[in-house]
Amino acid sequence: MSVKIKKNEPNELKVQIKKTDSVFLNTLRRIMISEIPSLAIDRIHIETNTSCFHDEFLAHRIGLLPILSEKDIFSIPKQEDCNCNSGCPQCNFEFLLEKENTEDSLLGVYSSDFVPISNINTSFKLVSFHNSENGILLCKLAKGEKIKLKCIAIKGTGKEHAKWSPVCTVSYMPEKLPQSSKQRTTEQDNNQNFIMTIETNGSFTASDIFEKSLTLLKQKIISL
């Protein structure tokens, strides 16, 4: 097997993988989607919400915001394994949001408006994108409307909820598509060349996700 990078951008990676089969690639794909841990907002304490969005709808949108951690995610304990209180700085990471519109025009509430509460163990922030200076738009406030809340992010995996999955899509396909059903059947039994595409939500770079999936697969093999 050999691997060659065809495209390497922060949120997208294309790799050519030679002399392998779809079973191996599908294993990596499933690990990327459901087993690479990340941070996501899990609990929200809403003090004020006079926007047009119901509390539940607003909380759902906030829970899907990707979070970038500057610390190796594998070294952060999961809450259920930490044996601590809910406010433990080892496994709970807090954000504050307070925004009020005092103007006549609509005011956007963005992911960049969330302020992380200082944490001595790790630095973290909500993900931003190059084509959106303010980050992800959550809602818009009319004059006099206000939102004030506190969020708590914890570590989890896509197995538990999609909000912890660090990828948007992971796909693979043969580099050369078979021309007939007979050829397709033959090639499925032999080593092939594939192009694998990984797109992330920004919480990790695409190359990091590829490397982490290989690390987890290696650990599974050793464990077996």
Side-chain angles (χ1 to χ4, degrees), residues 43-97:
R43 300 191 301 279
I44 302 176
H45 305 282
I46 299 177
E47 182 177 322
T48 304
N49 175 26
T50 58
S51 71
C52 62
F53 283 179
H54 295 296
D55 290 354
E56 295 83 359
F57 190 79
L58 182 64
H60 179 264
R61 289 180 65 82
I62 292 173
L64 293 174
L65 293 174
I67 299 174
L68 176 64
S69 172
E70 295 182 1
K71 186 175 182 179
D72 181 12
I73 195 68
F74 287 103
S75 65
I76 297 175
K78 295 190 70 173
Q79 183 172 284
E80 59 265 30
D81 300 328
C82 194
N83 298 319
C84 61
N85 298 322
S86 60
C88 171
Q90 298 284 344
C91 60
N92 286 253
F93 309 99
E94 298 182 347
F95 294 86
L96 296 178
L97 171 64

Side-chain angles (χ1 to χ4, degrees), residues 3-180:
V3 178
K4 182 180 179 180
I5 296 176
K6 308 289 283 188
K7 180 180 181 180
N8 188 6
E9 296 181 354
N11 294 331
E12 184 179 3
L13 178 71
K14 285 183 182 289
V15 293
Q16 177 193 57
I17 305 178
K18 294 184 176 181
K19 297 182 180 180
T20 186
D21 55 44
S22 59
V23 174
F24 172 74
L25 295 179
N26 192 48
T27 301
L28 287 182
R29 184 187 70 87
R30 292 172 66 89
I31 289 174
M32 293 178 201
I33 292 173
S34 62
E35 296 189 44
I36 293 178
S38 67
L39 296 178
I41 292 170
D42 188 60
R43 300 191 301 279
I44 302 176
H45 305 282
I46 299 177
E47 182 177 322
T48 304
N49 175 26
T50 58
S51 71
C52 62
F53 283 179
H54 295 296
D55 290 354
E56 295 83 359
F57 190 79
L58 182 64
H60 179 264
R61 289 180 65 82
I62 292 173
L64 293 174
L65 293 174
I67 299 174
L68 176 64
S69 172
E70 295 182 1
K71 186 175 182 179
D72 181 12
I73 195 68
F74 287 103
S75 65
I76 297 175
K78 295 190 70 173
Q79 183 172 284
E80 59 265 30
D81 300 328
C82 194
N83 298 319
C84 61
N85 298 322
S86 60
C88 171
Q90 298 284 344
C91 60
N92 286 253
F93 309 99
E94 298 182 347
F95 294 86
L96 296 178
L97 171 64
E98 184 173 4
K99 198 162 187 178
E100 183 176 6
N101 187 5
T102 59
E103 306 295 332
D104 292 328
S105 58
L106 292 174
L107 178 67
V109 179
Y110 295 87
S111 58
S112 60
D113 294 318
F114 285 77
V115 179
I117 297 176
S118 178
N119 187 291
I120 61 174
N121 296 301
T122 184
S123 176
F124 54 90
K125 60 183 178 180
L126 292 175
V127 169
S128 59
F129 301 95
H130 69 277
N131 58 350
S132 177
E133 294 181 359
N134 296 319
I136 299 170
L137 177 65
L138 289 172
C139 67
K140 292 186 177 181
L141 301 178
K143 184 177 182 179
E145 292 182 343
K146 179 180 180 180
I147 292 177
K148 184 178 181 181
L149 52 83
K150 180 173 78 170
C151 311
I152 298 175
I154 62 174
K155 177 180 172 180
T157 63
K159 282 182 177 180
E160 302 164 70
H161 194 283
K163 66 184 179 183
W164 279 298
S165 180
V167 295
C168 298
T169 61
V170 182
S171 62
Y172 59 88
M173 62 183 301
E175 193 168 24
K176 293 183 180 180
L177 294 175
Q179 301 299 316
S180 65

Side-chain angles (χ1 to χ4, degrees), residues 158-213:
K159 282 182 177 180
E160 302 164 70
H161 194 283
K163 66 184 179 183
W164 279 298
S165 180
V167 295
C168 298
T169 61
V170 182
S171 62
Y172 59 88
M173 62 183 301
E175 193 168 24
K176 293 183 180 180
L177 294 175
Q179 301 299 316
S180 65
S181 58
K182 182 178 180 180
Q183 183 183 3
R184 186 180 300 115
T185 301
T186 302
E187 291 192 356
Q188 282 178 349
D189 297 329
N190 299 323
N191 290 334
Q192 299 184 64
N193 298 342
F194 289 87
I195 297 294
M196 189 172 211
T197 303
I198 304 163
E199 296 181 16
T200 81
N201 63 8
S203 55
F204 301 105
T205 64
S207 58
D208 278 346
I209 288 178
F210 185 61
E211 291 176 7
K212 290 178 188 297
S213 68

